Amino acid sequence: MIFNIEILKELFFVIPLVLFIHEMEEWNIYHYHQKNYPTGVIEESILGTRLWLFFLSIVGFVWTGICYWIPNMALSTVIMMLLIDFTILNSLQHIILTLKTKKYNPGFIFGGIVALVVAIVAVINIVHYEIIPIWSVGLLLCLIIPILIESAVSSKNNKIPLMLKGILKASDKLEKFMSV
């Protein structure tokens, strides 16, 4: 689906909106983690996890807002591509985990399916309007490959991916900061 280039920056706001809905779909992911990963592997609390979900949603909107206000469309798009990359990475992780476990995991619908479609539509529009060179779009998209490989290897070994461990550490720090 190709959109008018004049409204492309406004349409970028669909990405953090879907990210927010996805994060709310993960509202009870704490219980999923406790059930599906060996105990003692992760330190996580319900509050810390939920704080992280809100924090990540806010970052998505702020990030997109910054991109919106940058007058140079190419620079704005390059920066926005980092959020698009994160969205695609998260989508693929949810899809891979669902295929591996053959059961629903929190976040699969909006994080795995809807977000992937939205991110692909954004990339198609960026390429269609040649906002940045196609090689740079490809290069930016390749940034997710090492993280995706690590996630797949971790999943195969029934371990938590490094990215998730980092998120859980950040959520723990966020919870401690909020309780001060």
Side-chain angles (χ1 to χ4, degrees), residues 18 21-27 29 90-91 94-95 98 104-115:
V18 170
I21 296 168
H22 159 64
E23 299 305 342
M24 294 308 99
E25 183 183 10
E26 288 186 324
W27 190 250
I29 200 161
N90 191 44
S91 295
H94 277 284
I95 291 168
T98 299
Y104 170 80
N105 67 79
F108 173 71
I109 296 168
F110 279 92
I113 306 301
V114 176

Side-chain angles (χ1 to χ4, degrees), residues 138-150:
L139 185 65
L140 288 164
L141 289 172
C142 285
L143 291 174
I144 67 172
I145 292 173
I147 302 167
L148 192 58
I149 290 170
E150 190 280 326

Side-chain angles (χ1 to χ4, degrees), residues 87-100:
T87 303
I88 292 171
L89 172 66
N90 191 44
S91 295
L92 295 175
Q93 287 173 323
H94 277 284
I95 291 168
I96 290 168
L97 187 59
T98 299
L99 292 173
K100 178 188 179 274

Side-chain angles (χ1 to χ4, degrees), residues 37-100:
Y37 292 107
T39 53
V41 173
I42 56 174
E43 288 189 30
E44 178 181 24
S45 72
I46 293 173
L47 178 60
T49 301
R50 290 178 178 172
L51 284 171
W52 174 256
L53 298 174
F54 276 118
F55 177 75
L56 188 56
S57 296
I58 291 167
V59 168
F61 281 106
V62 169
W63 190 275
T64 306
I66 290 169
C67 292
Y68 179 81
W69 290 107
I70 294 173
N72 182 303
M73 186 68 160
L75 178 61
S76 172
T77 300
V78 167
I79 295 169
M80 190 63 193
M81 277 296 299
L82 297 175
L83 185 59
I84 293 169
D85 275 359
F86 174 78
T87 303
I88 292 171
L89 172 66
N90 191 44
S91 295
L92 295 175
Q93 287 173 323
H94 277 284
I95 291 168
I96 290 168
L97 187 59
T98 299
L99 292 173
K100 178 188 179 274

